[in-house]
Every structure is written in C-alpha cells, then in structure tokens.
Amino acid sequence: MMKSLVAKIRPYAKVIVLISLVVFAFGFAMFQGGFLSWFLFYTFLPFSLYSIGLFFYPIHKFTVTRSLDRTELRAGETIEARIEITRKDRFPLLFLLVGEELTGRLGKNMFMKKAFIFPWFRKSFSITFLLHNLPRGEHGLSAIRLKTGDMIGLFEKEANYDLPKKILVWPAYYDLSFKQLENFFDQGEAGSVKKMQREHSIVSGVREYQPGDQMSWINWKATANKNAIMTKEFEEQKSHDLYIILDEDSSDSFEDLVMFAASLAHVLLKKGILIGYTGSTMDEVPLPIRGGDGQRRNIFYCLAKTEANGQGSLSSLFGSHHPVLSQHAALILITSHLNRRIVEQISAYKTNQSITIFCIKKEEKLTAEELVAKQSAYTRGMKVSYLEPGRFESGLVEVMAQ
C-alpha cells in the first residue's frame, strides 16, 4: 500500500517541494518582516510560479506538422524538412528544443537533428532542417521530439509526436555518353535501337505492349481477346535480350558497383534498349526485360535498396539454377571480385549468350590472379574490363575496343 502511494506521489515530489518552499518563504516574510525578507519572497515567487505552471503545462497537446520539399532524390543531394508547431494559448516558453528522429541507414549516418527556438508568447512557430549528403536507400523520419524547461532547471517537459515519413534516395549515376555504344550493340551482343525498329518476318508469339514498340507490331486479334494491347514478338528480339547482374557480395567498392549499374541502366534505357536486372542474391526476384521510364524506376528502386552481404555472390549465383541463367540473353556482370573459378562457373552456363564483365577495383595494378582470370575469360569469348571508381567511361571504351 505504502509503495503504491509513494509511486503515485513521486512524479509530483518536486512540485510539492517547490510549493512548500513558496509557503515557507511567505511565512518567513510574515513573521520576520523587514525589507530583506519580503524582497527575497517576491524575487523567488515569479520563478517558482512559472516552474509550477510549466509542470502542469500540456506540451503534448501541440499541433506539429512536417513538410518535405521532396521525398525522392539522388544520393548525395540535400533535402529540406520544415516543422511547424502551433498551440492554443500564449503561455510563455523560454526555449524549445526541437529534434528530428532518424531511422534506418539515415539514423546510422547522422545524429538526430536538433535546434533551439525561443517561442515566448507566440502561438505558432516553425523551424527548418537541412539533411545533407543523403546516402542511397529507403529512409525514414519517425518522430518529432519537443523539449523545454524552466529558468532554474527544476522541471523539464518532453513530448514525442509520431510523424512517420519515407524518403527514397536513388543511387547516384553518371550520365554516360560514349560514341561506341551503337557499335557495341551492332556486333550482336544486344538489340540496338535500329534493330528494334525494323520490321521482322518471323513472328514467334505475342506479349504485352512495351514503350518503344511500333504500332505496326500490334496484334489486334490478341488485343481484343486479352482486353489489353498485345504486340508481336520476333525471334530477333528474343536473341537480343540484355540482363544486368550486380554482384551483391561484401566489398569495399560496393557503392561504386551500384553507381556503375545505375549509370549503365540509365544510358541503355535512354538509348531505347530493353534490359532486365537482377542481383546475385538467390531469393531476389529478377526484373523482366522491359524498357522505358517505368523500367528505369524499377531498376533504380532495386539499386536503392540493395545491400552488400556475404550471402549473395556471382559464384553462388552461377553455381545454382537461377531463372535468368536459363534465358538466351546477353549478360553484363558487375563485380569487384573476379577470379578464374568464377570465370569457369560463368563459362559453364554460357551457350550462345554474350557475356561482358566489368570489375571495379580501387587498385590500378592487377594482381596475378586477376590477370589469369582476365586471360581465361578472353579464351572463353567473354569481354572483361577493370574499372577504377570515377573512370567508368574510359572502361566502357576499352571493352568496346576488344
């Protein structure tokens, strides 16, 4: 019984002590009299009354809103978050500490954003946070934390306002522009814009309409039956499918791998080429080969969320029956680990597909193992290029000259 009573009284202990001090000071002034006693009482009275008022002040009943200037941006860019706070009264607040709670990778890379404002008698006030150099990924802003206190530091009031908000940070990419792109695709590795625009005589089936398809390809009979626009599919189209495969094994260069994959996907889709994408993790669902802005968004979304882990590598991928490997599609592999064993595993699955390997490494000089892997890939008809971070375009030129 006594413990429960103490537990109920404990939150009010400080305010009870403060009220007792005010009563004691008043009694002392009454009985002692004199200028000094009343001066001490009236000096202490406003501070104590303010502290008591703050103790009972409902800071949790504010109206707090957050607005972002955008919710999608590229890695490395800055986002602006504006927090607006309103209340129904004009109780004087000496200060207000406003904090933005960050979750996920955003919380690991940044401390909680905090700022002081001095509301005083204002009923509404706002503050703006700038989140700089955001990392790639899907991040969350979880809550706004408000904190204030009295002049003598006796009481502190705190309230949390749950305002979950998602921010999607696309991977950074280079806007690659290399003249050899058309020559690269004319060699038969993948379908070029010109090839995809030709009329074909051998029809192998029908499929749903994709951006870039010509009106003459529409199969009106199948369109009427399916109640959706269906186009003819040709043998040449099937033989020029292109898949980008990202090695998701742990690596110090993983962010460079993601950036290069995004850059390559961006320029290929910009040229009107249909591509697919998959990571090397086994449980990842590959994106089917498509084109247009929708496919670019899908690929960039996968690249934004991908993480390096020890469970997904090219070696494990090509040592399994992955659905992408069974397709007759040209493959572009992006990795930072390349050795002879991986080349042999890739070669075991190679039928008539063209395979190009981009290996991104920070060291300019190749090791003996990398030289052996490169020569082994050449003898098996694969193209290999070792790229340095930030020098992607020169590596593309090198591959196309092989």
Side-chain angles (χ1 to χ4, degrees):
M1 185 68 178
M2 182 61 68
K3 290 183 178 180
S4 61
L5 181 62
V6 171
K8 291 179 180 180
I9 295 177
R10 184 174 297 170
Y12 301 93
K14 289 184 178 181
V15 73
I16 292 174
V17 171
L18 185 59
I19 294 173
S20 301
L21 289 175
V22 172
V23 173
F24 175 79
F26 177 74
F28 179 78
M30 286 289 293
F31 289 102
Q32 182 68 22
F35 172 79
L36 181 61
S37 301
W38 287 106
F39 176 79
L40 292 175
F41 171 72
Y42 284 115
T43 302
F44 177 65
L45 185 62
F47 293 98
S48 58
L49 290 179
Y50 179 82
S51 298
I52 295 171
L54 183 65
F55 177 82
F56 293 102
Y57 186 66
I59 191 176
H60 59 280
K61 291 186 177 181
F62 288 3
T63 300
V64 181
T65 60
R66 183 207 299 113
S67 60
L68 304 176
D69 62 340
R70 49 184 170 163
T71 56
E72 295 183 4
L73 62 157
R74 283 172 59 176
E77 293 183 341
T78 299
I79 193 171
E80 180 181 290
R82 181 178 177 83
I83 299 172
E84 296 186 356
I85 304 169
T86 58
R87 53 182 181 153
K88 297 180 180 180
D89 55 74
R90 294 187 182 273
F91 183 85
L93 292 177
L94 303 181
F95 70 90
L96 191 66
L97 176 62
V98 183
E100 177 74 81
E101 293 188 5
L102 311 175
T103 60
R105 290 183 61 194
L106 198 60
K108 294 178 181 178
N109 293 330
M110 298 182 181
F111 296 105
M112 175 188 285
K113 302 294 290 187
K114 297 180 181 179
F116 272 102
I117 56 177
F118 303 95
W120 290 97
F121 296 96
R122 286 179 294 165
K123 295 180 69 174
S124 62
F125 33 91
S126 63
I127 189 170
T128 299
F129 287 124
L130 292 178
L131 304 178
H132 298 282
N133 197 26
L134 291 178
R136 170 187 60 83
E138 190 174 35
H139 310 298
L141 303 178
S142 62
I144 304 295
R145 181 181 298 177
L146 304 182
K147 189 175 182 179
T148 189
D150 59 2
M151 291 168 284
I152 58 179
L154 188 61
F155 297 113
E156 288 186 349
K157 299 285 288 188
E158 186 173 326
N160 278 3
Y161 291 84
D162 292 327
L163 298 171
K165 190 72 174 181
K166 291 291 184 181
I167 302 174
L168 184 59
V169 182
W170 303 112
Y173 63 89
Y174 290 93
D175 195 4
L176 299 174
S177 57
F178 44 89
K179 297 179 181 179
Q180 293 85 349
L181 180 62
E182 295 296 340
N183 296 330
F184 177 60
F185 292 119
D186 283 340
Q187 296 173 6
E189 278 80 0
S192 67
V193 179
K194 295 178 181 178
K195 286 182 180 179
M196 295 303 291
Q197 290 177 345
R198 292 177 186 166
E199 291 293 337
H200 306 269
S201 57
I202 303 176
V203 179
S204 62
V206 294
R207 57 172 172 78
E208 290 188 6
Y209 173 83
Q210 296 174 354
D213 289 346
Q214 295 186 11
M215 291 294 294
S216 59
W217 295 358
I218 296 178
N219 187 312
W220 297 107
K221 184 177 180 180
T223 298
N225 292 333
K226 296 277 189 179
N227 199 23
I229 300 177
M230 307 296 292
T231 60
K232 302 171 187 176
E233 189 170 33
F234 305 96
E235 289 294 340
E236 188 174 350
Q237 287 178 328
K238 285 186 174 181
S239 63
H240 295 120
D241 290 344
L242 176 62
Y243 253 103
I244 296 176
I245 300 178
L246 177 67
D247 186 358
E248 295 174 325
D249 198 6
S250 299
S251 169
D252 293 336
S253 304
F254 185 72
E255 290 301 320
D256 297 302
L257 299 183
V258 174
M259 188 183 301
F260 180 68
S263 303
L264 196 58
H266 171 72
V267 71
L268 292 175
L269 291 169
K270 187 177 179 181
K271 289 288 183 177
I273 298 164
L274 308 183
I275 63 174
Y277 168 82
T278 186
S280 59
T281 305
M282 288 304 302
D283 57 356
E284 188 170 342
V285 179
L287 292 178
I289 295 175
R290 292 197 177 106
D293 291 338
Q295 182 71 341
R296 179 184 180 276
R297 183 179 179 86
N298 291 335
I299 293 176
F300 272 43
Y301 182 74
C302 292
L303 291 174
K305 298 189 68 174
T306 186
E307 297 286 347
N309 56 74
Q311 300 178 352
S313 66
L314 290 182
S315 180
S316 60
L317 179 72
F318 281 91
S320 63
H321 299 284
H322 196 275
V324 170
L325 304 179
S326 62
Q327 301 183 25
H328 295 285
L331 302 180
I332 293 182
L333 311 178
I334 303 173
T335 183
S336 60
H337 306 290
L338 188 63
N339 53 49
R340 187 171 180 177
R341 178 171 172 268
I342 293 178
V343 170
E344 291 174 351
Q345 286 180 316
I346 296 172
S347 178
Y349 276 90
K350 181 180 180 294
T351 54
N352 295 323
Q353 306 108 305
S354 169
I355 296 182
T356 302
I357 304 174
F358 292 102
C359 186
I360 299 175
K361 58 192 299 293
K362 296 182 178 179
E363 298 80 12
E364 185 175 354
K365 189 175 181 181
L366 301 183
T367 63
E369 183 181 24
E370 290 170 339
L371 289 171
V372 170
K374 187 173 184 179
Q375 185 60 39
S376 177
Y378 285 167
T379 59
R380 289 169 167 81
M382 305 179 201
K383 292 183 177 182
V384 178
S385 180
Y386 287 91
L387 310 181
E388 292 181 56
R391 297 182 60 187
F392 296 151
E393 188 167 345
S394 60
L396 288 169
V397 173
E398 174 192 342
V399 138
M400 292 165 196
Q402 294 174 14

